Amino acid sequence: MRMMALTVVGVATVVGGCASTEKVLQKPPTEVFRTEKSVQEVTFCLANKNNTAALEKPDGSRVVLIKNGYGGVSLAFSVFPDGTGSRIEYRREFGTIGGIWKQCVGLKDTK
């Protein structure tokens, strides 16, 4: 019984430490990218490569969140219309994740 209680406390600590969506989106961007690709094309690419969905905002921007196994946000991408292309604000909260997303923002290096 004591071991189960410790496990529950441990899981609660890990989950409690996970980043919330609002917390991550309020941080300054880790990096900002610009691409000639449309908002729709960029968000489809990010969502498709990461098996998630994009949230469409009233201002025409979209948000793609990459979460860890506990539901905490690891990476957040805010994609805004920018002329005929897009501006992507990338926010990294924690963790290591593959670089496949780089293809979606126009970077060649996926390492």
Side-chain angles (χ1 to χ4, degrees):
M1 186 67 154
R2 179 173 164 83
M3 181 59 123
M4 188 169 140
L6 289 174
T7 302
V8 170
V9 169
V11 170
T13 301
V14 170
V15 173
C18 290
S20 72
T21 301
E22 284 306 311
K23 177 183 170 192
V24 175
L25 291 175
Q26 289 176 1
K27 287 177 53 172
T30 305
E31 289 186 69
V32 177
F33 304 98
R34 286 189 165 68
T35 180
E36 294 300 315
K37 296 178 184 178
S38 70
V39 170
Q40 294 81 4
E41 188 177 358
V42 172
T43 54
F44 174 80
C45 181
L46 288 167
N48 186 50
K49 291 191 182 294
N50 293 288
N51 197 30
T52 190
L55 170 66
E56 190 167 349
K57 306 285 274 196
D59 65 358
S61 67
R62 296 184 182 188
V63 175
V64 177
L65 303 172
I66 312 300
K67 296 185 176 188
N68 66 12
Y70 299 105
V73 177
S74 296
L75 306 177
F77 299 89
S78 300
V79 187
F80 300 91
D82 187 36
T84 59
S86 302
R87 182 183 86 244
I88 303 102
E89 293 181 357
Y90 160 67
R91 291 171 174 85
R92 180 175 179 196
E93 182 62 20
F94 62 85
T96 57
I97 190 160
I100 195 76
W101 61 267
K102 293 178 181 180
Q103 295 173 355
C104 302
V105 301
L107 296 176
K108 302 283 188 227
D109 182 18
T110 59
K111 294 180 183 166

